[in-house]
Amino acid sequence: MNVSRHRLLLAVASVVLVAMGLAALVAANVLGGERVAEHGLVAAHAAPRNDTGPAGQFHRFRLGSVGGKRLEPNRDDFAARTNADGPLLLFLPATRAKPADYQRFLGAALQDGYHVLGLDYWNLGQTLSGTCQADPHCYGAVQRNRFDGSRPSAVSDVTPAGSIVSRFRDAIAYLDDHDPRGGWGRFLQGDTAIAWQDIVVAGHSQGGGEAAYISHIRSVRGAVMFSSPVESLGSAHAAWMDHPGKTPVARLYAIDDVRDEFGPRIRGSWKVLGLDGPTGPFRTDTTPPVAGADPHAILTDIDVGGPAQAHSRIIDDSTPLGRDQTPRMLPLWQWLLHRFPADRA
C-alpha cells in the first residue's frame, strides 16, 4: 500500500514538473514575442538561433510583417559583421532571386570588414526592363515605388510598409536589438532617417538598377551595379538618368560580362550615366585594374556559359570557381569593394 502511494506521489510530481516547464517555455516565448513586437516583427520567423548576434557569420532572419501587414515576398534576409566600425553593404537581388543566392559575394564583403545586409524586397513578376521597355518615365516610377512605396501604379503597387526603406529600417532595428554591440544602430538616424552616407548600395540585374536609382536620389557612400542597369533600349533610356544624381559618378561602379544577353541595354545605360569614360569599359578576364587606375565600368571575358548564364554568373553562387574552390571573380569583387575608403564617405 505504501509502495503504491509512493509511486502515485512520484507520478503527480512528474506531471507538475512538466507543467511548470511548459509554463516557463510559454512565458519565454511570450516575452520574446513582446520584445520583437517593439519593432513590428513576427517572433515566429525572426527568433535568432544565436543570441550573440551575427558577428563573423551569416545570420538568417525574416521580418514576417511590418506594422501588422504581411510582407510579400517574405524570404530570408542575410546579415553579418566582423567588427562594429565597418560601413554597410546593402545588397539587393535580381528579379525573383533572393539574398541566399549570393552568399559567396556577401562573404567576400564580410571578410573585407563590411557590415553586410542582403535584403529581400519586392522583385517578383516581370523584369523591370520587360515592364518598361522604351518608356523612359516608367523606370523611375517603378523604382521609386519599390524604394519607399510612393507613386503606386498598375505595374508596381508596393505599399510603404513593404518598401525597401521600411524593410531596411526594421531589419536594422532587429539586428541592433539582437546584436547590440554590432554597431547596426548607427545606420539609422533617429527613428526614420537612414544614414546613407555610410552605406554602399549594390545589387544584381534589377537589384543593381535599384541600387543605381537609390544612388541617384540619395547621397550614398557608393554604388556597385552587377549586370545592370538594364534600362536602355536603342535610343531610349530611363529618364532619371538625364539629370545629375545626389551621388557623384566618381562613387559609382558597374561590371558585366561580354556574353550577357542584356549587354547592349546595360552598356547603353552605362554610357548615359557616364560610367564608361572616354575609352569605353575596362576589359579583363578576372584581373583587377592596375594600381592607380580607376575605371567605373568593367567588362569581363571568362567562360561563364551562354548569354543567359553570363547575366548571373559573375555575381551569384553559380559563379565559376578556381582549383582552390574560391570564386574566380573574387579579385574583381575585392577591387570593387575597396573603392569606398573612409575619406570618400
Side-chain angles (χ1 to χ4, degrees):
M1 189 69 170
N2 289 337
V3 173
S4 297
R5 182 179 298 171
H6 182 66
R7 288 176 176 171
L8 178 61
L9 289 173
L10 286 175
V12 170
S14 298
V15 171
V16 170
L17 287 173
V18 170
M20 289 174 64
L22 288 173
L25 180 60
V26 170
N29 286 338
V30 170
L31 289 173
E34 289 175 350
R35 186 182 187 196
V36 174
E38 292 174 0
H39 300 305
L41 311 180
V42 176
H45 294 289
R49 297 172 184 168
N50 183 346
D51 289 337
T52 60
Q57 60 183 353
F58 280 113
H59 181 69
R60 302 172 70 139
F61 65 99
R62 295 188 186 184
L63 297 179
S65 67
V66 175
K69 296 183 178 180
R70 183 73 177 175
L71 288 180
E72 188 178 347
N74 180 31
R75 298 169 294 201
D76 285 351
D77 292 328
F78 273 65
R81 54 96 182 173
T82 51
N83 58 65
D85 301 321
L88 175 67
L89 179 80
L90 171 62
F91 185 85
L92 301 172
T95 303
R96 294 182 292 278
K98 52 190 182 297
D101 298 331
Y102 302 91
Q103 294 180 62
R104 294 184 187 276
F105 172 71
L106 297 180
L110 177 64
Q111 293 303 312
D112 246 25
Y114 282 88
H115 284 58
V116 174
L117 175 58
L119 188 69
D120 188 31
Y121 70 107
W122 180 263
N123 64 345
L124 303 179
Q126 191 175 30
T127 63
L128 178 65
S129 59
T131 297
C132 294
Q133 296 289 350
D135 182 348
H137 299 286
C138 171
Y139 292 93
V142 171
Q143 289 168 316
R144 186 67 185 233
N145 178 242
R146 293 175 181 176
F147 174 68
D148 62 10
S150 65
R151 305 181 189 178
S153 67
V155 294
S156 184
D157 191 19
V158 176
T159 65
S163 68
I164 290 171
V165 165
S166 180
R167 290 168 183 256
F168 177 85
R169 288 172 183 156
D170 285 288
I172 293 298
Y174 168 83
L175 292 165
D176 194 42
D177 186 46
H178 289 79
D179 182 23
R181 291 181 292 183
W184 297 96
R186 61 191 173 84
F187 300 115
L188 289 178
Q189 299 170 334
D191 294 333
T192 58
I194 296 173
W196 292 109
Q197 71 276 7
D198 291 326
I199 298 172
V200 174
V201 290
H204 171 220
S205 194
Q206 178 171 283
E210 193 72 44
Y213 180 75
I214 292 172
S215 74
H216 185 77
I217 62 172
R218 297 290 184 269
S219 180
V220 299
R221 189 186 190 98
V224 183
M225 297 153 269
F226 292 91
S227 303
S228 60
V230 193
E231 298 182 32
S232 71
L233 184 61
S235 61
H237 57 265
W240 62 263
M241 296 180 180
D242 288 331
H243 310 286
K246 296 291 183 67
T247 304
V249 175
R251 298 209 297 261
L252 307 181
Y253 293 86
I255 184 169
D256 193 23
D257 188 80
V258 294
R259 296 174 180 84
D260 189 343
E261 61 181 332
F262 298 107
R265 299 187 67 168
I266 293 168
R267 291 191 282 279
S269 300
W270 290 358
K271 186 172 183 178
V272 177
L273 290 171
L275 296 177
D276 52 5
T279 59
F282 174 75
R283 301 287 292 265
T284 185
D285 47 9
T286 61
T287 304
V290 298
D294 191 30
H296 291 266
I298 297 174
L299 275 176
T300 64
D301 186 4
I302 62 173
D303 185 10
V304 293
Q309 292 174 308
H311 185 65
S312 297
R313 297 190 71 196
I314 64 165
I315 181 61
D316 71 11
D317 285 345
S318 68
T319 193
L321 304 180
R323 291 182 179 179
D324 59 356
Q325 297 303 297
T326 61
R328 293 180 59 196
M329 289 294 299
L330 183 60
L332 281 172
W333 291 350
Q334 292 174 328
W335 185 88
L336 290 164
L337 291 167
H338 294 169
R339 297 303 94 199
F340 313 105
D343 60 357
R344 294 182 64 176

